[in-house]
Amino acid sequence: MNKGKDPLKNDSRRIEQYFLYLYTAFLVVISVVTFHPDPQDGYFLLNIPHLDKILHYLFYFICSLLYYRGYRSILGCFLYGTLVGFSLEIVQYFLPDRRCDLYDMLSNALGSMTFALIIYLKNLSDKTPSNK
């Protein structure tokens, strides 16, 4: 029997990793399928300026959150989200009706970086003694 190892915690971590893989598959699908060939038409019938950049930011913030939940690595969550985002943008370069956008890459990286920074700062504050 494993000393000090909680099997339920390991199962929970494994489930969180599966959610990450499913979410990554979701990102792949929405990255390769053309929903709106002309971004000027608006997304999801909403006329919000730069909505696609906001969605990129949120999607990769969530991607980094799921990575962190499954693997507990701050650097890993930033690198995973950023590399997945960059890779999918490069793939879009080779697809018809899609385009590789540097600002999408930047939005992806910022979403991942924001989550990593939040966790880093939270961990720093947890380690500092409180002034009581």
Side-chain angles (χ1 to χ4, degrees), residues 4 9-10 23 37-38 40 46 48 52 56 61 68 70-71 89 106-107 109-111 115-116 127 129:
K9 188 173 184 178
N10 289 339
Y23 188 78
D38 184 7
Q40 300 303 322
L46 297 174
I48 299 172
D52 66 320
H56 278 269
F61 183 94
Y68 184 76
Y71 293 99
E89 286 298 320
L106 182 61
S107 296
L110 285 174
F115 179 78
K127 290 180 183 176

Side-chain angles (χ1 to χ4, degrees), residues 84-102:
V84 168
F86 278 34
S87 299
L88 291 176
E89 286 298 320
I90 299 297
V91 167
Q92 288 179 15
Y93 176 80
F94 299 101
L95 297 174
D97 297 326
R98 301 297 296 192
R99 62 186 174 91
C100 178
D101 187 347
L102 182 63

Side-chain angles (χ1 to χ4, degrees), residues 56-75:
H56 278 269
Y57 178 89
L58 292 174
F59 285 154
Y60 287 91
F61 183 94
I62 293 168
C63 183
S64 292
L65 179 147
L66 292 173
Y67 185 93
Y68 184 76
R69 295 277 309 188
Y71 293 99
R72 301 295 191 261
S73 168
I74 296 172
L75 179 61

Side-chain angles (χ1 to χ4, degrees), residues 13 15 29 40-41 65 107 112-113:
R13 180 78 48 91
I15 290 169
V29 169
Q40 300 303 322
D41 290 341
L65 179 147
S107 296
S112 293
M113 184 176 67

Side-chain angles (χ1 to χ4, degrees), residues 47-52 54:
N47 192 12
I48 299 172
H50 309 294
L51 178 61
D52 66 320
I54 296 167

